Amino acid sequence: MYFVTICTRGRKKLLAEIDVPHDDGTKIVGRDDLGAPPVRVTLTPVGKIVERHLNTISEAYPWVTVEHKVIMPNHVHILLWFHETEKRRAESSRPTQLLPRIIAAWKRFTNRDAGYNLWQTGYHDHVIRDENDFLTHWRYIDDNPRKWPDDEYYQPGGPI
């Protein structure tokens, strides 16, 4: 299993808007108050393209499952599980060689449908080593929208 982070070109906020509606109609972002309303991630039209293509990875690669994901304003986090099957062994190389091909194809299709180059060159990947590592990254994905203002990829302002 891999944890993958892919950023938009120039870290432009093209994919989503993150907000927490409050009773008075204002937006509060990144509250740690457990009683706060849930954080809402609203995908832009480009974000919907990104999500649609994430959801088709398993169709194109039946031995790969998108276990968990979050689409943030300027990046995407994905947990990809590579199943060990006879078909995968016969049709493809090891996951370490297959991951770059999957990401490249996904970027190519999202760029085509968006009509321009969305992504920076490269991406970050991390091999999930054990159950604790898996749970840590799962929680990170779950918490990422709530912690958006503290995120290393955060830049003030709305979608560009």
Side-chain angles (χ1 to χ4, degrees):
M1 186 170 291
Y2 288 87
F3 173 75
V4 181
T5 300
I6 307 165
C7 294
T8 59
R9 176 176 243 156
R11 297 210 176 141
K12 290 184 180 175
K13 295 180 191 173
L14 305 169
L15 309 177
E17 184 175 321
I18 297 178
D19 60 64
V20 178
H22 196 38
D23 291 338
D24 64 3
T26 61
K27 293 180 181 177
I28 301 171
V29 182
R31 282 189 40 184
D32 285 332
D33 177 6
L34 296 177
V39 173
R40 185 173 66 227
V41 177
T42 305
L43 297 181
T44 65
V46 172
K48 291 177 183 177
I49 291 169
V50 167
E51 182 177 53
R52 181 168 40 92
H53 285 290
L54 279 175
N55 292 337
T56 63
I57 287 175
S58 293
E59 293 172 23
Y61 305 92
W63 51 86
V64 178
T65 303
V66 176
E67 284 294 314
H68 202 33
K69 66 183 182 293
V70 66
I71 299 171
M72 299 294 289
N74 61 7
H75 65 282
V76 177
H77 295 299
I78 313 163
L79 276 174
L80 285 175
W81 179 28
F82 288 76
H83 308 264
E84 188 64 38
T85 67
E86 291 300 320
K87 180 176 173 136
R88 188 193 67 76
R89 276 193 293 256
E91 292 181 2
S92 70
S93 55
R94 297 179 315 190
T96 55
Q97 296 168 333
L98 185 57
L99 180 63
R101 289 191 289 175
I102 291 171
I103 300 301
W106 178 77
K107 284 181 172 183
R108 188 171 53 254
F109 287 122
T110 56
N111 287 340
R112 181 198 64 198
D113 287 1
Y116 56 94
N117 187 0
L118 298 169
W119 308 109
Q120 73 177 19
T121 304
Y123 56 91
H124 168 78
D125 66 88
H126 166 80
V127 176
I128 301 297
R129 302 285 180 201
D130 54 31
E131 185 175 354
N132 186 51
D133 197 17
F134 170 77
L135 292 173
T136 297
H137 285 85
W138 185 283
R139 281 190 299 271
Y140 182 84
I141 287 173
D142 280 347
D143 291 343
N144 206 225
R146 184 174 54 82
K147 295 182 176 185
W148 173 233
D150 302 322
D151 194 289
E152 67 181 292
Y153 303 116
Y154 175 77
Q155 296 172 351
I160 295 173

